[in-house]
Amino acid sequence: MERYAPSKIDLASRDVVSRSMAIEIREGRGCGPKKDHVYLELHHLPREELEKKLAGIMETARTFAGVDLTKEPIPVCPTVHYNMGGIPTLWTGEVVYPRDGDDNTIVPGLLAAGEAACASVHGANRLGANSLLDIIVFGRSCANTVIFNLNKEGTSQPELPARAGEESVATMDRIMHNNGDIPMAALRAKMKDSMQANASVFRDHEDFKHVQVHDKSRIWNQNLTETLEFRNLLVNSLLTVKSALERKESRGAHSREDFKERDDINWMKHTMAWFNESGEVDLTYREVHSWTLTNDVKPIPPQDRVY
C-alpha cells in the first residue's frame, strides 16, 4: 500500500484499497494459480489479539478459505461491498420514473429505502457507517409518507388481472425443465471471471439458453433458486457495464484508466438504466440533488480524495 497511499497505507479508504488490489492483480502480481487474488497477512499479530479483536474474521477465513490466519495469509480480492445506485427516489421515499422532462415524476404507491434505493445522498462513494444511517432516515421517511400522505390521499391500486402471476410460474418451469447442457455454476463462474477482470462486456444472454438445472424438485430447490438469481445477475452485469462505458470519467468508486479525472461539467448526474424487451440497455440521466432541505446546513461541493 506504500505505493498507492504512502501516508495512510492500510488505513486508506475502501475504494483506494480495492483499486490498489485490482491494479496489482491486473499487472500480473496476483497470487494463486490464476493470479486472481492477493494475500492479507495478519499472522504477525499475537494470537490473543487476533482472537479478541478479529474472532469473526478468523472464523470466516477458516470456513471459506481453509486458512489459519495466525499462521497463514488470507487470499482476498476486490468485490462489491455496497451499491450506491438503486431505485430512484425522493427524500420522502417515493419512487420516481423520469419522463416528459420531469426527473421527479412519482410512481403512485411505490416506495423504496436503504441500499435498494437512490435518494441522491451518497454520491459515487458512500462514507463508512452511512448505510445504517440511510435506512434509518429514509425508512422513517417512508413510514411518514405512508401515514401522512398516502393514507390521507386514499391511494388505491387497480385490481389484479385474473391470470396474475401465471407468467412468473411459467418462467420458473421453463428454466427448471430447460434442455440445457451447461451447469449453472459453470456459467456463473464465467460471468464472475469476466466481471472480476475489468467489468468486460457480457454481450448477450445466449449462454443462459444452455443453462441446466439438475434438481427438478419443488421443495427447497437451491439449484433453481441460484439459477434464477444468476439470471438477475446477468441483467445487472449488462446494466453496470453499459452505464460504466458511457460514463467517460472517474468518480468515487467508478474508476477508469482511460478517463482518470472527474468531469463535473458533463457527468455530475445520475445514470438511469433500463433493460428493455429487445435485450438492449436504455440509458438516460437524472439531476443530482446537491441542495439540502434546510437553511441550517449548506451544501458541500464534491472534493478530491487525496493522500
Side-chain angles (χ1 to χ4, degrees), residues 229-289:
E229 291 174 346
F230 169 61
R231 183 183 63 167
N232 293 338
L233 284 172
L234 281 174
V235 173
N236 278 279
S237 297
L238 282 166
L239 296 174
T240 299
V241 170
K242 178 66 174 177
S243 300
L245 286 174
E246 291 299 317
R247 181 172 286 272
K248 296 177 173 59
E249 65 159 358
S250 290
R251 179 183 297 272
H254 168 73
S255 180
R256 291 188 56 160
E257 293 177 324
D258 49 350
F259 297 95
K260 296 184 178 182
E261 302 299 323
R262 194 181 75 223
D263 181 0
D264 289 344
I265 296 176
N266 296 305
W267 290 105
M268 179 67 84
K269 53 189 176 184
H270 293 292
T271 300
M272 306 282 290
W274 289 268
F275 193 62
N276 63 34
E277 294 180 357
S278 63
E280 300 294 328
V281 177
D282 292 333
L283 296 180
T284 185
Y285 299 93
R286 182 185 178 214
E287 183 182 10
V288 171
H289 288 194

Side-chain angles (χ1 to χ4, degrees), residues 21-87:
M21 294 164 64
I23 291 172
E24 290 293 304
I25 293 169
R26 288 182 58 159
E27 293 184 353
R29 294 186 290 275
C31 305
K34 291 185 177 182
K35 295 187 178 297
D36 59 353
H37 59 271
V38 297
Y39 282 133
L40 172 63
E41 291 189 352
L42 294 172
H43 53 275
H44 62 287
L45 299 173
R47 172 184 284 273
E48 296 76 19
E49 188 172 355
L50 290 172
E51 290 177 343
K52 180 180 179 181
K53 297 181 178 180
L54 300 175
I57 293 177
M58 289 184 69
E59 179 66 24
T60 299
R62 184 165 47 247
T63 302
F64 295 103
V67 167
D68 180 356
L69 61 77
T70 64
K71 302 176 181 178
E72 308 166 86
I74 310 171
V76 295
C77 64
T79 187
V80 175
H81 174 71
Y82 182 94
N83 280 303
M84 285 165 287
I87 304 165

Side-chain angles (χ1 to χ4, degrees), residues 12 33 39 67 84-85 106 117 129 138 155 177 186 213 230:
Y39 282 133
V67 167
M84 285 165 287
I106 294 173
F138 292 104
T155 304
H177 300 291
V213 179
F230 169 61

Side-chain angles (χ1 to χ4, degrees), residues 87-90 92-97 106-113 142 145-146 150 155 157:
I87 304 165
T89 66
L90 303 177
T92 57
E94 294 170 290
V95 173
V96 298
Y97 179 73
I106 294 173
V107 179
L110 183 60
L111 297 97
C142 286
T145 297
V146 171
L150 301 186
T155 304
Q157 297 296 323

Side-chain angles (χ1 to χ4, degrees), residues 15 19 21 86 101 106 125 151 186 200 213 221 229 240 267 300:
D15 61 307
R19 193 153 47 241
M21 294 164 64
I106 294 173
N125 198 358
N151 279 346
S200 54
V213 179
N221 190 333
E229 291 174 346
T240 299
W267 290 105
I300 301 173

